[in-house]
């Protein structure tokens, strides 16, 4: 594994997760409003620990992964955005792509934070030696994330059922 990647933007520090992020990850994933299109229920502390370990493992296995999103002004954890390969059972297949995802605390929605982070991560990733096409999946009812994906250059390629919900698959060349 290479040295940890840290990306700085005007307002953000994007860095790989560390074990000390556990409480912040729990706060994020236990907020029903935050995860309403991602999970049918808030996650337990145990599930959040597993999620945190999964994020840390992505970097070790793939040399890319999820970033903890830190507000530069307050030094507070405000969400997570990144790339993964989750080997999902979904059609069309996401195999061979890096799957982008994002989840942010509601108090920062609508401030351009997500697009600032996504574009910085995509710029960094495009410069890596083994960069793949990037995809994402979004619940069709998550209008905010659909609009964000389009704003960041993703195009819809399919609508398909996934985990009992109609999901939109997007790709970015």
């Amino acid at each position: 594994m290479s040295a940890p990647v840290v990306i700085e933007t005007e307002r953000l520090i994007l860095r790989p997760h560390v074990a000390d992020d556990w409480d912040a990850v729990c706060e994020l994933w236990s907020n029903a409003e935050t995860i309403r299109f991602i999970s049918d229920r808030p996650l337990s502390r145990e599930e959040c620990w597993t999620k945190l370990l999964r994020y840390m493992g992505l970097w070790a296995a793939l040399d890319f992964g999820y970033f903890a999103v830190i507000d530069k002004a307050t030094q507070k954890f405000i969400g997570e955005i990144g790339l993964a390969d989750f080997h999902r059972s979904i059609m069309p297949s996401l195999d061979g792509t890096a799957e982008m995802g994002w989840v942010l605390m509601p108090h920062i929605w609508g401030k351009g934070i997500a697009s600032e982070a996504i574009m910085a991560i995509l710029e960094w990733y495009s410069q890596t030696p083994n960069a793949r096409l990037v995809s994402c999946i979004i619940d069709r009812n998550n209008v905010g994330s659909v609009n964000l994906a389009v704003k960041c250059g993703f195009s819809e390629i399919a609508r398909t059922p996934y985990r009992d919900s109609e999901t939109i698959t997007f790709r970015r060349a």
Side-chain angles (χ1 to χ4, degrees):
M1 186 172 102
S2 55
V5 175
V6 177
I7 301 170
E8 289 197 38
T9 70
E10 183 180 332
R11 298 180 289 174
L12 306 171
I13 300 168
L14 308 168
R15 60 155 175 80
H17 290 78
V18 295
D20 285 345
D21 291 329
W22 185 29
D23 286 334
V25 169
C26 290
E27 181 181 355
L28 181 71
W29 286 93
S30 67
N31 183 312
E33 184 179 6
T34 300
I35 55 96
R36 74 181 184 271
F37 296 112
I38 303 169
S39 177
D40 57 356
R41 62 177 172 70
L43 301 186
S44 69
R45 286 185 63 79
E46 178 181 347
E47 291 167 317
C48 289
W49 179 250
T50 300
K51 184 172 283 297
L52 179 61
L53 294 175
R54 181 183 193 185
Y55 289 152
M56 293 165 71
L58 286 168
W59 286 99
L62 303 172
D63 270 344
F64 62 84
Y66 269 69
F67 292 86
V69 180
I70 309 300
D71 182 313
K72 267 189 183 176
T74 64
Q75 295 298 301
K76 299 252 187 214
F77 178 105
I78 55 174
E80 11 192 75
I81 299 177
L83 299 160
D85 184 348
F86 292 133
H87 292 272
R88 294 187 194 274
S89 296
I90 189 170
M91 293 308 276
S93 174
L94 303 179
D95 291 352
T97 72
E99 180 185 343
M100 182 159 248
W102 49 83
V103 58
L104 298 162
M105 294 299 289
H107 72 275
I108 57 102
W109 294 351
K111 297 179 180 178
I113 296 287
S115 58
E116 182 177 326
I118 288 169
M119 295 309 290
I121 292 166
L122 289 169
E123 174 62 26
W124 162 78
Y125 184 65
S126 73
Q127 303 302 312
T128 63
N130 298 314
R132 311 171 183 181
L133 287 175
V134 179
S135 61
C136 66
I137 60 171
I138 302 171
D139 182 291
R140 71 175 172 83
N141 295 312
N142 190 344
V143 175
S145 278
V146 168
N147 291 338
L148 177 60
V150 170
K151 177 181 179 180
C152 292
F154 288 87
S155 300
E156 180 177 334
I157 62 163
R159 291 184 180 231
T160 188
Y162 182 70
R163 293 189 179 166
D164 302 323
S165 179
E166 185 179 332
T167 299
I168 307 171
T169 302
F170 292 85
R171 287 265 159 79
R172 188 174 193 278

